[in-house]
Amino acid sequence: MKKQNKKICTIIALIILFILVYFAQNRLDAYKIRILNLGAIYVTLGVSLNLIYGFTGQFSLGHAGFMAIGAYVTALLVLPPYYKEASFILEPLIWPFTVIHAPFIVALLLSGLITALAGFLIGLPVLRLKGDYLGIATLGFAEIIRIIANNLPHITNGALGIKGIPEFTNLWWTVGVAVVTIYIIKGLINSSYGRALMSIRENEIAAEAVGINLTYHKVMSFTISAFFAGVGGGLFACLLTTIDPKAFMFVMTFNILAVVVLGGLGSITGTVIAAFLYNFFLEYLRPIEAGFNLGPIHFPPIPGLRMVSFSVLLLVLILYKQRGLMGGVEFTWEGFFRFISRIFSNKKTTEGSAS
Amino acid sequence: MTINLLLQNIANGLSLGSLYSLIAIGYTMVYGILRLINFAHGEIFMLAPYFLYFGVLIFHLPWWASAIVAIGLTAFTGMLSERIAYKPLRDAPRISALISAIGVSFFLQNLSIVVFSGIPKSVHRPAFFTKIFQFGEIRIQSTLFASIGVSIIFLSLLIYIIYQTKTGLAMRAISRDIETSRLMGVGVNRAISVTFIIGSALAAVGGILWSLRFPQIVPTMGIIPGLKAFIAAVVGGIGSIPGAMLGGFILGMSEILFVTFFPAMSGYRDAFVFFILIIILLLKPDGILGTKVQEKV
Amino acid sequence: MEILNIDNITIQFGGLTAVKNFELKLQSGELVGLIGPNGAGKTTIFNMITGIYAPSVNRIYFQNTDITGMKPDKIAKLGIARTFQNVRLMENLTVIDNVMIGFHLHLQSSIASAIFKFSGYVQEEESIYQKSTELLEKVDLERCKLEKAGSLPYGQQRKLEIVRALATEPKLLLLDEPAAGMNPQETKELMGFIQRIRDDFNLTIILIEHDMKVVMGICERIIVLNYGLTIAEGNPKEIQHNPEVIKAYLGVEAQYA
Ligand SMILES: Nc1ncnc2c1ncn2[C@@H]1O[C@H](COP(=O)(O)OP(=O)(O)OP(=O)(O)O)[C@@H](O)[C@H]1O
Ligand SMILES: [Mg+2]
């Protein structure tokens, strides 16, 4: 297929997405919008984790920490100063956080940049480690970040967290950021630099032997990944309107990791699909726990049942789809049209044989 | 600080360290054989005190009998989790097994919330374990001796099994090279099951001793000790059993001493543990007693 | 012109001295063979030249630059490329990607222009694609350029690895048993190919090879290693009649005749 045609297809798809978002934002109820928002934020987070883990092959378990940085930075920037003064009850907020105030977009960008800086500083020493050791070290950093947040009441309000964050996040933002994230990370992957990252994943020794600077490329990938994790954290803060250190425990990293693995490592398409499915299931299992009536039988509310069913679902999925939904395969327009034409030709043959 | 206070804290550190050691061994054994971080191990640890609790409360067993049953049941659960959730993934990408392990962890944790309820329960402690010994100014609860003593007994038993029995030989062979072992006719499945049984039983012992020190039990109680024991295993050199023991003591001791020397920073206690982990990984990536495996080019 | 000067290097692994007092001066354009029984230390010498291991004593100079202890990617940038005894391809990437990656070290464009596909980058990428395709044509691999590298037959993987090394535009090329796993026909083609690339790309080549037909057929100078020590050096004729060499090989295997 010609490049020009592909571009046209992509533009048409974006317009359709635009219309869908418009209707979703205006017609759906708040609950459904929230689930979609979460799904879209997970796309941003998942795609960024996929960059460092799926494409670069560096096992990182630090995403919750990066999200935390982004979330706190955004919260402190978008909260109006008078409100901050009122809500920091443990200890008064210190200057300059008392006076700074920025529009949402600036806050998101700054969140990304500051998180990227943290990613750079962490990545530089730890990316020398390999495999599980790298995972453990990044997990350690994420926990340290969380514990620091817990212990700096004059900046983060400690364990109480920050409440009343303006609810700026809507589908325009979450989907918009997801699209930009995909565009940038896909652009990186489909470039000589992306090839270098994948070569590192495939064979470090060979990559180094053809002149790829391992540290430079790994840290670059890690930093970019941290940037988007920070932006995702910022969106997250303005969706939940309340953040506290507990929100950024290892479970958070696990959720994103599960999305990436279930979607298929190294497949952005897979991450997108898995991000939405994950959140749909997580939410739609809620009634199980709340108690329900099945005909005449009444099921009482049982706390914990939702996560029990969810973990069973997760186990079944990973046991039967060991390489994830997409198994590393990516969406392409060629593949899409081949798929469509196959459906049509199938239909024709079945119709033909029926008559 | 007085020398007494220091001694007191060293005693506390030893006692905490012995618990971490017991749990860390399960991590290190499983990792040594399957190269899998068994994230569900913390939940296995949590189950034992619950089994103990219900043994005493519902079945009116004496404490010791209930403890034995609890260890047995916990070991069985550990073995079962491997059969159901890890065995089918032995040839899958390693990350799938890791996701599966975390899935098992969530499952056990939440199932416990459903079955045992999330409200904290108070485990019965025999009078012997609450007794306090007084040495001069140092007060030591008898659980300290119990945990150190029991740890030593079980660790010796473990070393005997691993170095003196046929199953132990099989386990060591598999941890070297699972494929070759399979080809040489080593009973891989059996040895892996035994590994999970032993690891889970030790975690159960750790869990029961833990409940003697901290009698309030909740379904989420396994998360933090599990994570710390895992760090202990890594610090000591994951895959190495003496390393896991050493790592457990280092971690327990440094945690207690950190709080002793920097009481104002006690909120950073867990951060300090992670800090040690990262420093050790950066200086000696394979842990203190781990063996360096260099890839031949 | 002298391109490589290895000054008396030694390396130990634990108690084992894998290479001892190895010396080599290489003139630009030479094709030198490095032979010796299994475990003699041949691959280890390549690993030291390319920075994977650092020798314990003395130094290595490449075009008068001291490269001892430099990182492998730096050394590759200076113009030394290699293949591996146990083929190391980017198995899940396509054949053409495996070649294009070799050109990455010469890439001028910034990350931003690569992400957003600025025209400067697009041109560079296009020229890399062209050059890679041409290289693949030289070894008849352009037909399968969109296949996964890991799915190629072993002999073709070896060729692909040589092409990848060529893509880095080296001055010195180190080939570690390139003929292993090739049938006689392929081996014959390979010999021609090695001589051709030396002339076309003005290369200096060191060749490790167990197949004596290859070594004797194309190398002008041969160095024989045994237990880490250089036991002989000379042209193919001299080596064939050197009693030390015969002893070293007969002691291990009688394949050499
Ligand atoms: N990383 C390492 N650690 C320990 N020993 C090593 C290492 N690399 C090589 N050796 C040892 O050094 C010696 C030389 O190995 P080397 O691979 O250089 O031999 P070679 O001449 O290439 O043999 P072959 O023809 O079998 O490829 C061998 O005894 C090998 O076991
Ligand atoms: Mg060799």
Side-chain angles (χ1 to χ4, degrees):
Chain A
M1 197 195 280
K2 278 220 195 79
K3 248 195 190 142
Q4 202 60 37
N5 292 344
K6 273 192 223 174
K7 225 175 223 164
I8 293 170
C9 286
T10 309
I11 291 170
I12 293 173
L14 281 176
I15 292 171
I16 295 173
L17 182 68
F18 188 89
I19 296 168
L20 284 177
V21 169
Y22 177 82
F23 277 103
Q25 187 67 52
N26 290 304
R27 296 285 166 81
L28 294 181
D29 60 53
Y31 180 61
K32 291 200 180 90
I33 292 180
R34 187 188 152 90
I35 298 174
L36 287 175
N37 270 322
L38 276 173
I41 295 175
Y42 269 56
V43 169
T44 299
L45 296 167
V47 170
S48 74
L49 181 65
N50 214 342
L51 172 66
I52 185 68
Y53 184 37
F55 290 102
T56 319
Q58 306 304 305
F59 191 27
S60 168
L61 294 176
H63 251 52
F66 293 141
M67 279 178 73
I69 297 177
Y72 276 102
V73 171
T74 297
L76 286 170
L77 283 173
V78 297
L79 269 176
Y82 67 88
Y83 191 88
K84 284 190 260 192
E85 214 170 304
S87 63
F88 274 64
I89 33 185
L90 290 176
E91 281 190 42
L93 185 65
I94 53 164
W95 190 88
F97 302 104
T98 41
V99 290
I100 47 170
H101 189 206
F104 191 38
I105 175 99
V106 177
L108 283 183
L109 279 175
L110 269 177
S111 297
L113 289 175
I114 292 172
T115 313
L117 179 68
F120 175 78
L121 293 176
I122 292 172
L124 210 53
V126 298
L127 284 165
R128 274 186 296 158
L129 299 172
K130 292 191 170 63
D132 291 336
Y133 292 110
L134 177 62
I136 299 156
T138 46
L139 168 65
F141 270 110
E143 283 292 301
I144 289 177
I145 291 170
R146 192 175 65 80
I147 295 166
I148 290 176
N150 216 355
N151 283 284
L152 287 183
H154 42 273
I155 298 176
T156 62
N157 206 20
L160 292 184
I162 300 179
K163 293 187 178 59
I165 305 165
E167 199 178 344
F168 286 134
T169 300
N170 58 29
L171 282 174
W172 294 114
W173 281 108
T174 54
V175 175
V177 169
V179 168
V180 171
T181 309
I182 292 173
Y183 175 74
I184 291 180
I185 291 188
K186 226 176 145 39
L188 177 64
I189 294 303
N190 294 334
S191 80
S192 192
Y193 289 96
R195 231 169 2 242
L197 299 183
M198 289 187 277
S199 299
I200 293 173
R201 171 192 75 194
E202 292 292 311
N203 199 320
E204 265 192 21
I205 290 172
E208 214 177 7
V210 294
I212 292 166
N213 183 333
L214 296 184
T215 313
Y216 175 84
H217 283 89
K218 285 182 190 176
V219 172
M220 179 259 285
S221 168
F222 197 69
T223 306
I224 294 178
S225 173
F227 176 90
F228 288 108
V231 174
L235 287 173
F236 198 64
C238 289
L239 177 69
L240 302 186
T241 71
T242 303
I243 51 166
D244 61 47
K246 276 214 189 72
F248 304 103
M249 301 231 280
F250 176 65
V251 182
M252 189 70 236
T253 299
F254 172 74
N255 286 337
I256 306 162
L257 182 69
V259 162
V260 172
V261 174
L262 289 176
L265 274 180
S267 164
I268 291 176
T269 319
T271 303
V272 174
I273 297 171
F276 282 101
L277 285 183
Y278 198 83
N279 280 290
F280 287 146
F281 278 116
L282 212 49
E283 286 302 324
Y284 283 103
L285 287 173
R286 230 177 248 289
I288 296 184
E289 177 163 290
F292 55 95
N293 293 315
L294 196 70
I297 316 161
H298 173 71
F299 289 90
I302 306 171
L305 202 55
R306 172 174 80 124
M307 286 311 289
V308 171
S309 356
F310 187 70
S311 43
V312 170
L313 198 70
L314 199 69
L315 283 170
V316 171
L317 254 179
I318 202 72
L319 289 174
Y320 285 93
K321 276 259 166 228
Q322 304 187 347
R323 265 154 231 281
L325 296 169
M326 296 294 289
V329 179
E330 205 66 89
F331 172 89
T332 58
W333 285 115
E334 283 97 339
F336 178 72
F337 287 118
R338 231 180 296 132
F339 181 71
I340 296 284
S341 68
R342 208 169 49 220
I343 291 178
F344 270 95
S345 62
N346 268 356
K347 260 210 185 118
K348 265 187 206 135
T349 47
T350 41
E351 273 167 21
S353 59
S355 64
Chain B
M1 170 182 338
T2 65
I3 186 83
N4 281 332
L5 190 59
L6 186 66
L7 285 175
Q8 173 84 60
N9 281 306
I10 289 179
N12 290 345
L14 278 179
S15 137
L16 187 63
S18 64
L19 298 183
Y20 286 157
S21 293
L22 283 169
I23 315 170
I25 286 170
Y27 280 111
T28 231
M29 286 174 73
V30 169
Y31 193 90
I33 288 191
L34 295 179
R35 301 285 176 274
L36 167 71
I37 305 174
N38 182 13
F39 268 98
H41 198 59
E43 276 58 50
I44 296 289
F45 158 88
M46 166 274 291
L47 283 178
Y50 270 104
F51 290 142
L52 174 69
Y53 173 84
F54 285 103
V56 173
L57 190 80
I58 298 183
F59 298 98
H60 304 293
L61 294 173
W63 186 89
W64 59 268
S66 186
I68 292 173
V69 172
I71 294 172
L73 281 176
T74 310
F76 179 72
T77 314
M79 187 202 77
L80 208 61
S81 70
E82 191 274 330
R83 279 291 154 110
I84 294 173
Y86 308 153
K87 192 171 166 226
L89 291 168
R90 233 173 258 166
D91 298 319
R94 280 180 49 210
I95 183 64
S96 304
L98 189 79
I99 297 282
S100 187
I102 302 175
V104 172
S105 152
F106 282 8
F107 175 75
L108 291 177
Q109 211 179 92
N110 288 290
L111 190 68
S112 304
I113 294 178
V114 170
V115 178
F116 308 141
S117 107
I119 303 159
K121 300 219 162 13
S122 200
V123 174
H124 167 71
R125 287 190 292 179
F128 167 75
F129 290 112
T130 50
K131 210 149 126 197
I132 307 256
F133 293 91
Q134 187 98 22
F135 301 96
E137 277 174 41
I138 312 171
R139 294 157 52 83
I140 295 179
Q141 205 184 329
S142 59
T143 45
L144 177 99
F145 299 115
S147 51
I148 295 177
V150 170
S151 303
I152 290 175
I153 294 171
F154 277 93
L155 296 180
S156 325
L157 197 66
L158 172 72
I159 289 174
Y160 170 78
I161 292 175
I162 291 198
Y163 292 99
Q164 303 291 330
T165 67
K166 220 170 153 198
T167 311
L169 182 67
M171 284 155 63
R172 279 181 291 144
I174 296 170
S175 73
R176 272 289 168 78
D177 186 341
I178 188 164
E179 270 314 308
T180 314
S181 305
R182 204 193 312 245
L183 292 173
M184 304 282 279
V186 175
V188 170
N189 290 333
R190 203 183 93 94
I192 291 179
S193 288
V194 173
T195 303
F196 273 83
I197 289 174
I198 295 177
S200 306
L202 291 177
V205 173
I208 290 170
L209 291 171
W210 189 276
S211 72
L212 292 174
R213 260 190 108 187
F214 313 101
Q216 292 276 322
I217 58 173
V218 280
T220 48
M221 68 180 271
I223 302 177
I224 296 295
L227 195 56
K228 294 223 185 116
F230 170 59
I231 293 171
V234 177
V235 164
I238 195 146
S240 149
I241 289 174
M245 299 182 198
L246 179 69
F249 281 106
I250 291 180
L251 221 64
M253 197 64 94
S254 38
E255 201 181 316
I256 299 278
L257 291 184
F258 176 76
V259 182
T260 313
F261 286 111
F262 309 101
M265 307 260 294
S266 60
Y268 287 99
R269 174 173 170 161
D270 291 354
F272 179 67
V273 169
F274 285 105
F275 181 72
I276 294 184
L277 165 80
I278 291 166
I279 295 296
I280 296 223
L281 281 180
L282 289 178
L283 296 179
K284 204 165 178 313
D286 307 287
I288 298 172
L289 297 183
T291 40
K292 193 171 163 64
V293 227
Q294 199 189 15
E295 194 180 357
K296 255 195 198 170
V297 180
Chain C
M1 190 188 74
E2 187 179 271
I3 185 162
L4 185 75
N5 179 1
I6 299 179
D7 180 18
N8 217 337
I9 52 173
T10 295
I11 189 169
Q12 285 164 331
F13 297 112
L16 174 94
T17 306
V19 174
K20 195 170 177 195
N21 299 340
F22 182 76
E23 284 189 306
L24 176 65
K25 283 192 171 57
L26 216 54
Q27 296 299 313
S28 189
E30 270 193 286
L31 204 174
V32 171
L34 188 57
I35 64 171
N38 290 114
K42 307 177 294 290
T43 301
T44 305
I45 289 175
F46 275 15
N47 286 339
M48 286 190 287
I49 299 176
T50 53
I52 291 176
Y53 304 147
S56 354
V57 282
N58 283 330
R59 322 215 61 84
I60 303 172
Y61 300 91
F62 176 67
Q63 296 183 317
N64 297 322
T65 313
D66 185 352
I67 59 167
T68 332
M70 254 189 206
K71 299 242 282 173
D73 58 290
K74 271 260 183 71
I75 293 176
K77 282 195 184 97
L78 288 175
I80 302 182
R82 70 174 290 178
T83 64
F84 294 90
Q85 180 170 356
N86 47 342
V87 181
R88 287 177 175 272
L89 289 171
M90 289 50 172
E91 292 189 2
N92 290 306
L93 302 191
T94 59
V95 169
I96 186 92
D97 275 344
N98 266 273
V99 185
M100 290 172 80
I101 192 63
F103 287 102
H104 183 67
L105 80 176
H106 298 299
L107 192 77
Q108 298 289 321
S109 306
S110 67
I111 297 178
S113 72
I115 292 177
F116 299 107
K117 308 283 180 280
F118 295 159
S119 68
Y121 170 77
V122 173
Q123 275 168 17
E124 259 196 297
E125 173 88 2
E126 253 161 32
S127 113
I128 289 175
Y129 184 82
Q130 277 306 323
K131 287 194 269 187
S132 301
T133 311
E134 281 162 25
L135 280 176
L136 282 175
E137 278 165 6
K138 285 186 198 287
V139 283
D140 282 335
L141 280 176
E142 86 279 7
R143 284 164 294 110
C144 36
K145 68 180 172 191
L146 293 182
E147 281 170 34
K148 272 191 183 181
S151 68
L152 293 182
Y154 194 63
Q156 302 202 333
Q157 292 197 10
R158 286 208 168 278
K159 285 192 213 159
L160 177 57
E161 217 189 9
I162 299 177
V163 171
R164 182 181 68 188
L166 289 177
T168 66
E169 300 177 342
K171 303 183 186 88
L172 174 63
L173 179 62
L174 312 177
L175 300 173
D176 199 343
E177 301 193 17
M182 288 189 179
N183 62 35
Q185 177 59 30
E186 283 178 315
T187 306
K188 222 173 116 199
E189 285 167 18
L190 179 78
M191 287 166 67
F193 177 67
I194 293 175
Q195 282 175 313
R196 233 174 9 219
I197 57 174
R198 172 175 59 162
D199 299 338
D200 292 356
F201 298 95
N202 289 321
L203 287 175
T204 311
I205 297 177
I206 309 181
L207 173 72
I208 295 179
E209 187 51 69
H210 281 296
D211 187 336
M212 287 306 145
K213 271 201 292 298
V214 177
V215 185
M216 299 297 167
I218 60 175
C219 297
E220 292 116 24
R221 181 152 73 104
I222 295 170
I223 295 159
V224 190
L225 224 54
N226 197 18
Y227 293 115
L229 288 168
T230 310
I231 57 169
E233 191 177 340
N235 64 36
K237 267 249 148 49
E238 290 163 359
I239 294 298
Q240 272 170 353
H241 300 291
N242 185 315
E244 281 285 324
V245 178
I246 295 170
K247 206 171 79 192
Y249 268 92
L250 286 181
V252 191
E253 50 200 315
Q255 73 178 95
Y256 157 69

